[in-house]
Amino acid sequence: MTALAGTTPPRIEARGVTVRFGGLVALDSVDLAVPPGSVVGLVGPNGAGKSTLFAVLSGLLRPSSGAVLMDGRDVTSVSAQARARRGLARTFQHPELFPGLTVREHVVLAYRLRHARRRVWTDLVTAGGFRRAGAEEDRRVDGILAALRLTPHVHLPVSGLPLGTGRLLEIARALAVDPDVLLLDEPSSGLDSRETDELASTLTGLVAEHGVSLLLVEHDVELVLGMSDVVHVLDFGVKISEGTPSEVRADPAVRAAYLGAEHDEAEKDVDKDEDEERASA
């Protein structure tokens, strides 16, 4: 399957993706597209199917039916490694880092995997160490570290990093391969409110400046609504809503299921208190 002439296909797209685990339907005919230079949000409660969809899009899980496309080309049967070479990168809910490497070495290794694969052999196998390779590598690696506010930690081993800093490092490592599309799995987990705001600003800046597309899965719904151009909402493997943040926020089904349930109960409690106060006046 390819895009129609004269149109720009999505960086990555799910078409009618269904995933079954025995009798359990984890995803049911889900469609989702991430256009070039956009931020797309994916929200839903635990068990909604978000992680399953991420696994399908990144090539870690083959769907029972449906298709995955990158830039209009069917990659449903393409491996995760091959999708990475085509410009896909992702992070995980729990940072996957190497305890023996420093912060900077993580980003250097990722950069060389994309731009100087022969150096990876020298670095890791022949005891050559992470010697500086050139000005362009330094510029790119140092720029990424600065953008994620990791410069003060560059020489620290990752084994002692706080969770939030480790999560920022995983994002930095993903960006070092110069992806066309980046799948972010709970990127704000472990960050405080200031760090979350800084992360949102950094990611939206990367989209604007470098054209990378983002697919963002987050429990912090306000972060998703504040960053995304389009938001998709899953419930028990079924997509129940899709639209702009304002459209999704106003959707009664979404408000009842995810955004408004606790808020509506709080409002009811306030109204009840006010009624009791008026009655006793």
Side-chain angles (χ1 to χ4, degrees):
M1 288 181 282
T2 58
L4 296 175
T7 65
T8 302
R11 288 299 190 191
I12 195 163
E13 180 180 9
R15 290 185 182 177
V17 165
T18 296
V19 174
R20 297 184 182 90
F21 299 110
L24 173 67
V25 180
L27 292 173
D28 189 358
S29 299
V30 173
D31 296 325
L32 182 146
V34 183
S38 67
V39 180
V40 175
L42 179 63
V43 297
N46 290 331
K50 305 184 300 298
S51 295
T52 301
L53 183 55
F54 251 42
V56 170
L57 292 173
S58 58
L60 299 176
L61 178 66
R62 185 80 175 267
S64 305
S65 61
V68 177
L69 292 83
M70 290 183 66
D71 296 316
R73 297 182 179 276
D74 193 328
V75 296
T76 310
S77 60
V78 173
S79 69
Q81 293 80 4
R83 294 186 199 190
R85 290 192 293 270
R86 294 184 184 212
L88 173 67
R90 68 160 293 177
T91 65
F92 292 84
Q93 252 184 358
H94 304 288
E96 303 285 340
L97 303 174
F98 302 107
L101 299 183
T102 67
V103 168
R104 194 178 197 281
E105 286 170 345
H106 273 81
V107 182
V108 167
L109 179 60
Y111 179 90
R112 292 179 184 177
L113 280 170
R114 180 67 181 265
H115 300 282
R117 294 182 68 86
R118 292 182 180 179
R119 292 261 345 210
V120 175
W121 174 265
T122 304
D123 295 337
L124 296 181
V125 180
T126 66
F130 285 85
R131 293 175 296 182
R132 296 295 178 91
E136 178 57 26
E137 177 181 287
D138 283 348
R139 183 194 67 79
R140 180 61 177 151
V141 168
D142 292 341
I144 292 171
L145 290 166
L148 273 300
R149 296 166 178 82
L150 290 168
T151 303
H153 310 289
V154 291
H155 300 303
L156 296 178
V158 299
S159 56
L161 293 179
L163 174 61
T165 305
R167 191 165 298 284
L168 293 175
L169 174 56
E170 193 179 32
I171 296 171
R173 185 175 60 179
L175 291 172
V177 302
D178 292 328
D180 295 319
V181 57
L182 176 57
L183 312 185
L184 295 170
D185 195 351
E186 303 287 350
S188 75
S189 179
L191 304 183
D192 60 30
S193 58
R194 178 186 60 80
E195 291 170 330
T196 298
D197 291 343
E198 290 176 349
L199 175 63
S201 176
T202 297
L203 292 175
T204 53
L206 289 167
V207 173
E209 294 170 20
H210 301 287
V212 62
S213 299
L214 304 180
L215 176 59
L216 177 68
V217 164
E218 259 292 342
H219 279 101
D220 187 339
V221 177
E222 289 304 316
L223 174 63
V224 174
L225 294 177
M227 286 183 58
S228 301
D229 302 301
V230 175
V231 179
H232 299 258
V233 186
L234 290 180
D235 184 19
F236 293 107
V238 177
K239 189 169 73 173
I240 64 169
S241 186
E242 172 189 352
T244 65
S246 59
E247 290 169 341
V248 167
R249 191 188 296 273
D251 188 325
V254 177
R255 288 179 58 83
Y258 307 112
L259 306 180
E262 294 181 2
H263 176 68
D264 291 344
E265 288 300 319
E267 285 188 337
K268 289 178 183 178
D269 290 341
V270 171
D271 291 341
K272 180 180 179 181
D273 291 342
E274 290 178 346
D275 290 342
E276 290 176 350
E277 288 178 1
R278 283 194 293 269
S280 60

